[in-house]
Amino acid sequence: MAASKSSLAALTLGAIGVVYGDIGTSVLYAVKEVFGSGHVPFTHDNVYGVLSILFWTLTVIVSLKYVVLVLRADNAGEGGLIAMLALASQAVKDKPELRRVLLVIGIFGTSLFYGDGVITPAISVLSAVEGLEVVSPAFRQYVVPITLVVLFVLFAVQKRGTGGIGKFFGPITLVWFFTIAALGVSHIVGHPEILAALSPHHALRFMWQQPGTTFIILGAVVLCVTGGEALYADMGHFGKKPIRLAWFSVVMPCLTLNYFGQGALLLEDPEAVKNPFFNMAPDWLLLPLVGLATMATVIASQALISGAFSVTKQAIQMGYLPRLGIQHTSVRDTGQIYIPFVNWGLFTAIVLAVVMFKSSSNLAAAYGIAVTLDMLITTVLTFFVIRYGWKYPLWLCLAATGWFFVVDILFFSSNLLKLFAGGWFPLMIGGVVFALMMTWKQGRALLTEAHMAEAIDLSSFLEAVFVSPPLRVAGTAVFLTAEKGAVPNALLHNLKHNKVLHEQNLFVTVRNHEVPWIGLDKRLEVEPLGHDCWQVVIHYGFKNDPDVPKALQLLRGRGCELEAMTTSYFLSRDTVIPSLGSGMAPWREKLFAQMHRNAGAAADFLNLPSNAVIELGSKIEI
């Protein structure tokens, strides 16, 4: 019992550091942007109304939607938009047209994650460093350079992994939450009447009296739920109970106290609206608070960067991105990975965002469209999960998700007002990623069709070969092929040029499935082909780490013994030539051909040994 409590406490502390780092730093800019927009007249009633809207936004979107409802939709313990997409697509697998639509919607939502992944670190770190302007206006010219340095250091250390610094995330973030709560309390005690804004009637009155203004400021209010998707995405790391416990016991109370403390400060000193968070602190605390805020925003950014690595790996295994070089940064935790291309691609886009927008206020105009559209997609997918997966009555499904759908639509519509003020930026990033993902998926399908049109049946080919068998050499050859039952080009090249065949031959196909994990008991599907040849299919979930040599060790005791020193791996790779009329627009055909030429990390991704041989196959037109 004691060990269980200790484990729960450790997981809860970890959830505070990783899951809630992003939403915990929203206090730096949310209130400032609502009142700084110029749309809300600065009055006593408006302060109460805005605080009430902020509190009930946190309650409805985070507490009710994500913590109570969405966390229930776990895919074998895993969460996140890809896990939800897998659940939804499985739930409607008997409706192929609907399933295709949901897959496109889900992948588009996944693409938007990268747009959010650019804006969130930029606005978080920039808003923390902007605290220096409160210390002295002379620091204003150094805000952007210091922000870029902090971000560069953050991305430069990614290759070392999060294991070394991850253990500090929880304690530092916990200190951050207690600090912002203390700052809030220090001002609430002077104006305890501000707590009356907890009543929803203040929010309802504000909305009734100023419906147009309410709609406009929702684009700034949404800043208070930055990182809300992390609740669901990180469920597999911590579990539902620690995430829920952390939210209700620490995170939400501390956020509420700070927001209401900022409201109390504004009632006392309206001039503090320029930066209400840092104006809450006494002069002697400003520099330490800037340092703590910077650490908190770095931690929040770290969680999002790690999430980008994880999402990319899952997208690769579901066949929506080409193989990229993936480095494991921990010998114990397979979830700790580093993808250089994604790391420096994100950094480049974030630097561009910081240099273009120059301030957290300008970046706030860019934030919101992508994240609210993601939230809307999550709600839609949740409906299909609980309706077709869990088989709940239609009225109950509509009641459970309909209210959240309306709320998400309102927030998304409000944020569309910021489209030309900067909202186009994350949408552009998401659109580019979506085009890449769908082009790769469709291109691979066309390539498979082209292969199968020219494919030679493996069983028939082997029968013909062994009528007059070639010289057999010692060792095992592992031929990796995309399609089961087809002769790999590498085998044809081996017979043509070397005129030999190994003693043992494995024709291996890797299959990735729309479930997070596939156990070792279901890892292999083996079919003997005779003459010491086997057809092997290796099954992985999108959270499994592909490791072909390790998986093939499961063949021991099935008549096939592999020795590492005498096993050779052969991969076939084709030269793709775009051709008109193949099913994609010409620019997408050219894009796929270019992506295919650059996708040379298959050996690393599948954890193949250094003696793997890549055989160039024939030219394929798509």
Side-chain angles (χ1 to χ4, degrees):
M1 181 65 71
S4 176
K5 289 182 177 179
S6 175
S7 176
L8 178 61
L11 287 171
T12 303
L13 181 62
I16 290 172
V18 174
V19 178
Y20 295 111
D22 196 358
I23 200 170
T25 57
S26 62
V27 293
L28 290 166
Y29 42 79
V31 174
K32 179 178 74 170
E33 296 308 323
V34 172
F35 285 103
S37 64
H39 297 290
V40 184
F42 201 90
T43 66
H44 179 277
D45 287 345
N46 283 350
V47 171
Y48 275 70
V50 167
L51 288 179
S52 188
I53 290 173
L54 287 170
F55 174 76
W56 286 100
T57 297
L58 285 170
T59 301
V60 171
I61 292 182
V62 182
S63 298
L64 297 180
K65 177 183 172 180
Y66 281 98
V67 176
V68 174
L69 176 62
V70 175
L71 281 185
R72 295 188 62 205
D74 67 291
N75 192 337
E78 293 295 328
L81 199 53
I82 285 187
M84 178 72 82
L85 173 60
L87 280 176
S89 65
Q90 286 296 313
V92 297
K93 60 184 178 183
D94 57 335
K95 300 175 174 62
E97 289 299 324
L98 177 59
R99 183 174 181 273
R100 276 193 288 271
V101 171
L102 290 182
L103 282 170
V104 172
I105 292 174
I107 292 302
F108 182 63
T110 302
S111 303
L112 291 175
F113 175 84
Y114 293 92
D116 185 30
V118 170
I119 297 297
T120 300
I123 191 174
S124 298
V125 177
L126 198 52
S127 62
V129 179
E130 282 173 346
L132 292 173
E133 296 181 19
V134 179
V135 178
S136 170
F139 285 118
R140 181 168 299 151
Q141 60 182 319
Y142 301 110
V143 168
V144 169
I146 291 175
T147 299
L148 294 178
V149 170
V150 170
L151 289 168
F152 174 76
V153 172
L154 172 63
F155 280 88
V157 301
Q158 291 304 309
K159 61 183 177 182
R160 299 182 181 275
T162 58
I165 57 177
K167 59 185 177 183
F168 300 110
F169 283 8
I172 292 175
T173 310
L174 190 61
V175 170
W176 168 254
F177 279 116
F178 287 158
T179 300
I180 66 175
L183 287 172
V185 170
S186 68
H187 290 273
I188 291 173
V189 294
H191 296 274
E193 67 276 8
I194 197 70
L195 294 176
L198 289 169
S199 171
H201 87 272
H202 288 286
L204 294 173
R205 183 179 63 186
F206 184 95
M207 288 186 273
W208 176 261
Q209 294 177 348
Q210 305 178 70
T213 300
T214 301
F215 180 74
I216 292 172
I217 68 168
L218 287 180
V221 170
V222 75
L223 293 168
C224 76
V225 293
T226 56
E229 285 280 334
L231 282 168
Y232 184 44
D234 290 316
M235 178 169 60
H237 295 286
F238 301 100
K240 302 174 189 178
K241 190 172 182 180
I243 290 176
R244 286 170 171 159
L245 183 61
W247 173 252
F248 288 115
S249 65
V250 175
V251 181
M252 188 173 183
C254 292
L255 289 175
T256 302
L257 287 171
N258 190 268
Y259 282 128
F260 279 67
Q262 291 187 47
L265 172 65
L266 293 177
L267 289 178
E268 182 179 328
D269 179 17
E271 291 298 318
V273 74
K274 294 177 181 177
N275 200 323
F277 177 81
F278 284 106
N279 279 313
M280 295 174 73
D283 291 342
W284 61 269
L285 187 60
L286 273 177
L287 279 176
L289 186 60
V290 170
L292 180 60
T294 302
M295 285 192 289
T297 55
V298 166
I299 290 172
S301 302
Q302 172 63 63
L304 198 143
I305 295 166
S306 300
F309 294 157
S310 178
V311 166
T312 301
K313 177 190 166 188
Q314 294 175 28
I316 290 172
Q317 292 195 213
M318 288 185 70
Y320 284 95
L321 283 174
R323 307 297 189 190
L324 298 173
I326 296 179
Q327 301 174 16
H328 287 266
T329 58
S330 172
V331 295
R332 292 182 299 175
D333 187 357
T334 58
Q336 291 188 24
I337 58 175
Y338 170 66
I339 306 178
F341 180 82
V342 174
N343 185 69
W344 295 111
L346 270 180
F347 175 72
T348 302
I350 290 172
V351 168
L352 184 62
V354 171
V355 171
M356 283 175 55
F357 292 96
K358 293 184 172 61
S359 73
S360 61
S361 294
N362 292 337
L363 274 167
Y367 183 86
I369 295 181
V371 72
T372 52
L373 190 51
D374 247 357
M375 290 178 176
L376 181 61
I377 289 171
T378 297
T379 301
V380 171
L381 294 179
T382 301
F383 169 80
F384 287 99
V385 170
I386 64 178
R387 173 70 179 120
Y388 296 103
W390 301 350
K391 308 297 183 183
Y392 284 151
L394 179 61
W395 68 267
L396 182 59
C397 298
L398 290 173
T401 60
W403 166 244
F404 299 123
F405 182 82
V406 172
V407 171
D408 291 336
I409 282 286
L410 286 173
F411 273 100
F412 174 63
S413 301
S414 175
N415 277 276
L416 280 177
L417 298 175
K418 302 189 293 185
L419 180 63
F420 298 107
W424 58 269
F425 187 70
L427 281 183
M428 180 189 71
I429 294 172
V432 169
V433 175
F434 179 70
L436 291 175
M437 294 174 80
M438 296 308 295
T439 297
W440 183 258
K441 184 72 172 180
Q442 190 175 355
R444 291 299 301 174
L446 292 172
L447 195 62
T448 299
E449 289 179 13
H451 267 301
M452 295 309 294
E454 302 176 358
I456 304 172
D457 178 68
L458 179 60
S459 297
S460 303
F461 179 80
L462 290 177
E463 287 181 13
V465 166
F466 285 109
V467 169
S468 178
L471 178 67
R472 307 292 290 267
V473 296
T476 301
V478 177
F479 296 96
L480 278 91
T481 177
E483 294 300 321
K484 175 183 175 183
V487 177
N489 285 331
L491 174 62
L492 297 175
H493 283 226
N494 194 44
L495 289 171
K496 178 180 178 181
H497 298 292
N498 299 323
K499 298 179 173 54
V500 297
L501 198 63
H502 286 71
E503 277 182 335
Q504 295 186 125
N505 295 274
L506 305 181
F507 302 94
V508 178
T509 300
V510 175
R511 287 273 184 270
N512 294 294
H513 299 269
E514 295 175 2
V515 295
W517 305 101
I518 290 181
L520 293 178
D521 57 324
K522 298 178 181 178
R523 178 74 76 230
L524 291 188
E525 178 185 331
V526 184
E527 177 187 348
L529 301 175
H531 304 282
D532 290 322
C533 297
W534 290 267
Q535 176 78 67
V536 181
V537 180
I538 307 177
H539 300 280
Y540 290 109
F542 58 77
K543 292 285 284 186
N544 286 125
D545 283 309
D547 189 331
V548 170
K550 184 177 180 180
L552 293 180
Q553 292 303 314
L554 298 173
L555 287 171
R556 293 184 183 277
R558 300 193 188 187
C560 180
E561 302 295 326
L562 276 74
E563 297 295 334
M565 298 298 294
T566 60
T567 301
S568 299
Y569 293 82
F570 296 86
L571 293 84
S572 296
R573 189 175 177 194
D574 304 293
T575 301
V576 180
I577 303 175
S579 60
L580 296 177
S582 64
M584 292 195 296
W587 68 269
R588 290 183 67 202
E589 294 175 6
K590 294 177 181 178
L591 175 62
F592 174 74
Q594 185 63 38
M595 292 171 69
H596 195 274
R597 281 193 288 271
N598 294 333
D604 291 336
F605 184 83
L606 298 171
N607 202 31
L608 299 181
S610 58
N611 67 330
V613 177
I614 298 179
E615 295 280 356
L616 292 178
S618 58
K619 294 181 179 180
I620 301 293
E621 292 188 356
I622 63 166

